[in-house]
Amino acid sequence: ETILGALYISVLFSHVILISFLPNGGKWLLTAQIMVWVCDSFAYFTGMTIGRKIFNRGFSSISPKKSIEGCIAGIVGAVIIALIYTYAINSIKGFEYSYIYITIFTIILSIIGQIGDFAASSIKRYVDVKDYSNLIPGHGGMLDRIDSLMFLAPFAYVFLTMI
């Protein structure tokens, strides 16, 4: 268990560091973290207001309040914000980022980020821990704020090195 925990954090977080060394790596990390927060926020608020179909088949014991509607809304919300952001930087900075590319990139990373959130919740349930720390009360601790980013970092790194 201890080795798995150390590998989980070190291997995944090492990709965050690798991204930071890419051209505009800091901006990509900030953008990815904002998209993760947008996805989480859309998922949370939609799930709380209209979420009816709760995940089952093993997921309900991991995250009993996550709904399918919330997960879909998280992806849609992240795509909308990513497209608005892309339009802004294309218009203001004169970039020519592809809207299709950004949409695909955002959908894939939103899904992977949500899987990362499930994985972190699963680990917390397995070791019978409610929060990773008390640093941010009510939010699961600091690791809970970056678990999705850490999980999607290897995929984002590969994706960003391909462009």
Side-chain angles (χ1 to χ4, degrees), residues 14-128:
S14 69
H15 286 84
V16 172
I17 295 168
L18 287 171
I19 291 171
S20 72
F21 288 117
L22 292 175
N24 296 315
K27 291 177 185 174
W28 283 115
L29 284 173
L30 179 62
T31 302
Q33 187 60 56
I34 290 169
M35 290 302 113
V36 164
W37 288 337
V38 166
C39 183
D40 285 350
S41 297
F42 270 80
Y44 175 78
F45 289 114
T46 302
M48 292 302 285
T49 55
I50 64 168
R52 301 288 178 260
K53 250 180 136 50
I54 304 299
F55 278 98
N56 55 16
R57 297 189 183 166
F59 289 118
S60 61
S61 62
I62 296 170
S63 290
K65 294 183 179 179
K66 290 202 186 300
S67 68
I68 293 171
E69 295 90 347
C71 289
I72 292 169
I75 295 166
V76 171
V79 168
I80 289 168
I81 298 300
L83 290 174
I84 291 169
Y85 176 74
T86 303
Y87 176 77
I89 62 172
N90 281 352
S91 298
I92 295 167
K93 297 282 189 178
F95 293 146
E96 295 181 9
Y97 288 124
S98 165
Y99 293 103
I100 293 170
Y101 175 79
I102 294 297
T103 300
I104 293 168
F105 184 69
T106 304
I107 290 170
I108 291 170
L109 293 184
S110 293
I111 292 169
I112 293 169
Q114 290 186 50
I115 292 169
D117 192 39
F118 273 117
S121 294
S122 177
I123 292 168
K124 286 181 2 183
R125 298 284 186 268
Y126 180 74
V127 296
D128 198 28

Side-chain angles (χ1 to χ4, degrees), residues 129-147:
V129 172
K130 169 127 175 57
D131 294 333
Y132 287 123
S133 75
N134 294 329
L135 185 62
I136 309 172
H139 288 272
M142 194 61 190
L143 188 57
D144 208 35
R145 295 296 88 211
I146 62 169
D147 58 2

